Amino acid sequence: MKALALGALALLGAPAQATDYYGTTEPFASNAIYFVMTDRFVNGDTSNDHRHQGGAHPTFDIPVKGPDGQSANIGYLGGDFKGILDNAGYIHGMGFGAVWITPIVDNPDQAFTGGKAVSFGSSFTDQGKTGYHGYWGDNFYKVDEHLESKDLSFSQFTAKMRQQGLKTVLDIVVNHGSPAYDMPAAQPKFGQLFDKDGKLIADHHNLPPDQLDPKDPLTAFFHRKAEMVQLSNFNEDNPAVIDYFVGAYQKWIDAGADAFRIDTIMWVDNAFWKTFSDRIRAKHPGFFMFGEAYDYNPAKIAPHTWPQNGAISVLDFPLKAALDKVFAKGEGFEALTPALYLDKGPYQNPYQLTTFYDNHDMPRMNASDNGFIDANNWLFTARGIPVIYQGSEVGFMRGAAEHAGNRNYFGQARIDAAPKSPIYQNLKRVGQLRAANVALQKGLQLDLKLQGNEAQFLRVYQHQGVNQQALVVLNKGDKVLDTTARGPLQTGNWVDAVSGETIRVKEGLALRVQPHSLRVLLLDAPVTDPALAKALNRLMARPVDHKSGE
């Protein structure tokens, strides 16, 4: 195990006020992220719906019926850039600083005819499905025609979002394109790839991977091994592949993308990601990226975060599993401790992980309103960069999987009604709280108590003349919590972040926390308490266990 500090190592003998304390200095960590599946958010411009596209294999509004009136949909439903921009104030008002949008690149213009037919609740089935989600790219240099409006290109969209206080996180795909084979007859664009000039540069010819002709230059982009379902599998060992994707995604950064979420990062070798990240950051230093490594084993996903593999953060799947136990299934806060890795662990920096409790690829969290409230109270005060999937602010389609309503259309009417939801009301409070306080965004986390329905922890940020300590106490129980905060708590005049009340802290602090609520007290002062400094010094020297990922 090799010790590697998160930042400048704290020296035990140095004056406490001169020591840096932070979880991360990553600028993007200031932003909580709202995840939008663009086609399923809001149809802001009906003129780009292309409702009659697809011919014999139409693409618009393809319902999948389930029992008891339930339904899903595998066609386009009209969501677009304008629908997001029209609701930028709604998103920013909840405390979000960034919006993650699904891939914007061109997708085929028909419903797919190969594979297994989609049925309600089915998995790994694509027959009859369209590219509404954006993950079936056929030209990664071209924006799909369903997204832009006459006066709203992608670059105009990102610029106007920034004016509304929102950065754009672009979902990118490198390992696969559109479904490529098993069609009764070849369909346009499926299994094909086009360059920035619209020239065909790769074609699967509707053949399984093991039947591709190695002498055919149009198949050089593909592996001869199968991907998930019938998806084309790009060969990352081919230098032309990395040139293609670096060029495409440099274009979208130049057009305003502020960060990347990388789809299926585990399906591509680490050597590729090191080269990719180096080339992206050579032109855009410090560009933030986080990947989807869909695995609940931290040793499997952490290597992506290491510098030798590209220094790409990841979605925190291990913590997601723990969050489900605590906030959906009712286990105590202690179930979160093993997934935090505050003292040591395999991640290069756990504070830069993106934290979440559900998304579009898994069943939505099946929790009560209070469960969502409690989960959001944790996500927006604890370590990591919180990500909330559209609709979770009102408990939309809770418990539903992909083809059972997870990706159903959210829509303007639900957004307009959201302020009536207790989940939304609480999320707005805690989201704005995080947005206003650097300690909750980037501070070290020192756990004082995670047990049963109570969580107590400190977040401390002391860097470049900015000093803030935050005491967070969470109550996920149904009864009022009367508790005492003890341990390394610095003497001083703390301020309740919600009420503005000043509270004098000497040795211990008695606090009352309402059911399914939180208290956050702030002290904008440097660390002077010796016991607190000692605990923070230990956290700053957190070792990274590279062997655990081998």
Side-chain angles (χ1 to χ4, degrees), residues 396-410:
F396 180 59
M397 297 307 300
R398 67 190 81 191
E402 177 187 348
H403 291 145
N406 172 298
R407 301 180 178 186
N408 281 4
Y409 184 73
F410 191 46

Side-chain angles (χ1 to χ4, degrees), residues 122-194:
S122 65
S123 300
F124 299 103
T125 53
D126 282 339
Q127 188 183 118
K129 196 172 180 177
T130 66
Y132 72 89
H133 42 71
Y135 295 98
W136 289 356
D138 58 67
N139 188 334
F140 290 76
Y141 287 81
K142 179 183 178 183
V143 177
D144 191 88
E145 66 275 11
H146 296 84
L147 301 177
E148 294 182 320
S149 298
K150 182 179 179 181
D151 298 315
L152 192 64
S153 66
F154 177 68
S155 60
Q156 291 169 324
F157 166 74
T158 58
K160 291 183 178 182
M161 290 288 280
R162 285 174 182 163
Q163 292 171 6
Q164 296 290 321
L166 293 168
K167 295 180 173 63
T168 299
V169 179
L170 181 61
D171 203 325
I172 70 168
V173 188
V174 164
N175 84 299
H176 72 263
S178 63
Y181 58 97
D182 198 38
M183 295 166 276
Q187 297 177 261
K189 297 186 180 180
F190 282 98
Q192 296 182 321
L193 188 68
F194 300 85

Side-chain angles (χ1 to χ4, degrees), residues 74-360:
I74 54 175
Y76 286 89
L77 293 178
D80 45 36
F81 293 155
K82 188 174 188 301
I84 300 173
L85 183 61
D86 287 348
N87 290 284
Y90 167 78
I91 298 170
H92 189 257
M94 288 185 283
F96 293 99
V99 177
W100 155 17
I101 61 174
T102 39
I104 63 172
V105 301
D106 191 50
N107 275 230
D109 302 332
Q110 296 182 346
F112 182 55
T113 60
K116 295 180 180 179
V118 175
S119 60
F120 188 82
S122 65
S123 300
F124 299 103
T125 53
D126 282 339
Q127 188 183 118
K129 196 172 180 177
T130 66
Y132 72 89
H133 42 71
Y135 295 98
W136 289 356
D138 58 67
N139 188 334
F140 290 76
Y141 287 81
K142 179 183 178 183
V143 177
D144 191 88
E145 66 275 11
H146 296 84
L147 301 177
E148 294 182 320
S149 298
K150 182 179 179 181
D151 298 315
L152 192 64
S153 66
F154 177 68
S155 60
Q156 291 169 324
F157 166 74
T158 58
K160 291 183 178 182
M161 290 288 280
R162 285 174 182 163
Q163 292 171 6
Q164 296 290 321
L166 293 168
K167 295 180 173 63
T168 299
V169 179
L170 181 61
D171 203 325
I172 70 168
V173 188
V174 164
N175 84 299
H176 72 263
S178 63
Y181 58 97
D182 198 38
M183 295 166 276
Q187 297 177 261
K189 297 186 180 180
F190 282 98
Q192 296 182 321
L193 188 68
F194 300 85
D195 69 9
K196 58 183 176 61
D197 299 316
K199 177 185 175 183
L200 179 68
I201 59 172
D203 195 336
H204 225 277
H205 304 301
N206 197 21
L207 294 172
D210 59 359
Q211 295 182 24
L212 294 176
D213 182 356
K215 297 180 181 179
D216 183 351
L218 287 177
T219 67
F221 254 67
F222 307 116
H223 278 297
R224 266 60 180 173
K225 59 184 179 181
E227 239 284 7
M228 296 179 289
V229 288
Q230 288 77 38
L231 296 174
S232 53
N233 187 1
F234 294 129
N235 179 10
E236 69 271 20
D237 297 326
N238 182 346
V241 171
I242 193 166
D243 288 344
Y244 180 88
F245 284 110
V246 168
Y249 292 128
Q250 290 279 22
K251 173 180 178 176
W252 302 127
I253 296 174
D254 291 341
D258 296 290
F260 286 159
R261 179 268 188 183
I262 302 173
D263 187 64
T264 54
I265 192 171
M266 290 182 74
W267 291 71
V268 180
D269 290 343
N270 285 328
F272 177 96
W273 292 120
K274 180 65 166 72
T275 301
F276 180 85
S277 64
D278 285 350
R279 290 178 62 176
I280 291 291
R281 289 168 177 155
K283 187 174 180 182
H284 303 278
F287 190 81
F288 186 69
M289 296 181 266
F290 63 98
E292 177 227 10
Y294 201 138
D295 197 301
Y296 294 100
N297 182 350
K300 295 287 185 64
I301 70 175
H304 296 291
T305 70
W306 302 345
Q308 64 267 36
N309 295 330
I312 297 170
S313 187
V314 290
L315 285 155
D316 194 345
F317 277 85
L319 181 61
K320 179 263 181 257
L323 294 174
D324 196 61
K325 291 179 182 178
V326 174
F327 300 113
K329 297 181 171 63
E331 294 190 22
F333 273 110
E334 61 272 15
L336 300 179
T337 301
L340 295 177
Y341 295 102
L342 302 177
D343 296 303
K344 60 182 178 180
Y347 302 110
Q348 192 67 25
N349 190 333
Y351 294 87
Q352 292 174 197
L353 302 180
T354 45
T355 53
F356 69 108
Y357 47 71
D358 64 17
N359 63 28
H360 60 318

Side-chain angles (χ1 to χ4, degrees), residues 35 141 254 272 461 478 502 527:
F35 171 36
Y141 287 81
D254 291 341
F272 177 96
Y461 185 87
D478 295 329
T502 297
V527 174

